[in-house]
Amino acid sequence: MTTTTRQSRHLGISIDRPAQEVYDYVSEPANVPGWAPGLARSLELVDGRWVGESPMGRIVVAFTPRNDFGVLDHHVTLPSGETVHNPMRVIADGPGCEVVFTLRRRPGVTDEEFRRDAEAVSADLAALKRVLERD
């Protein structure tokens, strides 16, 4: 079933590391393949743009500039040329933090595709937690 209604899912995970440490790691595009293989298996700087190989094909990723608010929004340009805006935040929570990714349902995406996208994002967030909580 395909829906035309815009829909969002907020997917989050608690990480037992200081918010600034998590933000510093995630805001470095070169680290993306280490925690988000669902987005990119590789990512390299090519002519000033972060270009990667993803399960969807060749993509371009552009993060928002570094900031003091924990904002990690990023745009992903898909092989089709479509650019998807991905809101993401690191929120301090005592000595740890929560990372929240807002998955926006694109027009024409079926319920099953949206569910699979949510599962892929959740898997990437779980990988981020594993990477950052390693001692």
Side-chain angles (χ1 to χ4, degrees):
M1 168 183 222
T2 302
T3 183
T4 56
T5 304
R6 292 297 280 184
Q7 182 181 10
S8 295
R9 279 196 62 194
H10 304 287
L11 305 164
I13 196 160
S14 294
I15 298 179
D16 190 23
R17 288 285 187 248
Q20 188 63 53
E21 180 180 321
V22 173
Y23 178 83
D24 289 344
Y25 179 80
V26 176
S27 66
E28 176 52 55
N31 292 333
V32 167
W35 67 269
L39 173 60
R41 292 183 291 262
S42 67
L43 201 61
E44 62 181 328
L45 193 57
V46 177
D47 297 327
R49 299 181 328 153
W50 287 97
V51 179
E53 291 304 321
S54 80
M56 303 164 282
R58 194 169 177 87
I59 61 168
V60 177
V61 180
F63 276 92
T64 193
R66 287 186 60 88
N67 60 80
D68 294 330
F69 305 106
V71 176
L72 291 164
D73 291 7
H74 53 284
H75 290 94
V76 177
T77 303
L78 303 174
S80 67
E82 175 187 10
T83 298
V84 179
H85 175 70
N86 298 294
M88 188 172 177
R89 305 288 185 276
V90 175
I91 303 163
D93 184 18
C97 67
E98 183 177 11
V99 176
V100 179
F101 183 100
T102 301
L103 178 63
R104 302 277 299 152
R105 186 177 191 154
R106 297 183 331 270
V109 169
T110 66
D111 291 342
E112 178 61 21
E113 289 167 329
F114 192 56
R115 184 190 63 73
R116 282 195 312 263
D117 287 347
E119 287 176 354
V121 170
S122 294
D124 286 347
L125 292 174
L128 177 64
K129 179 180 179 74
R130 282 191 304 277
V131 166
L132 290 172
E133 289 185 354
R134 260 188 257 161
D135 286 330

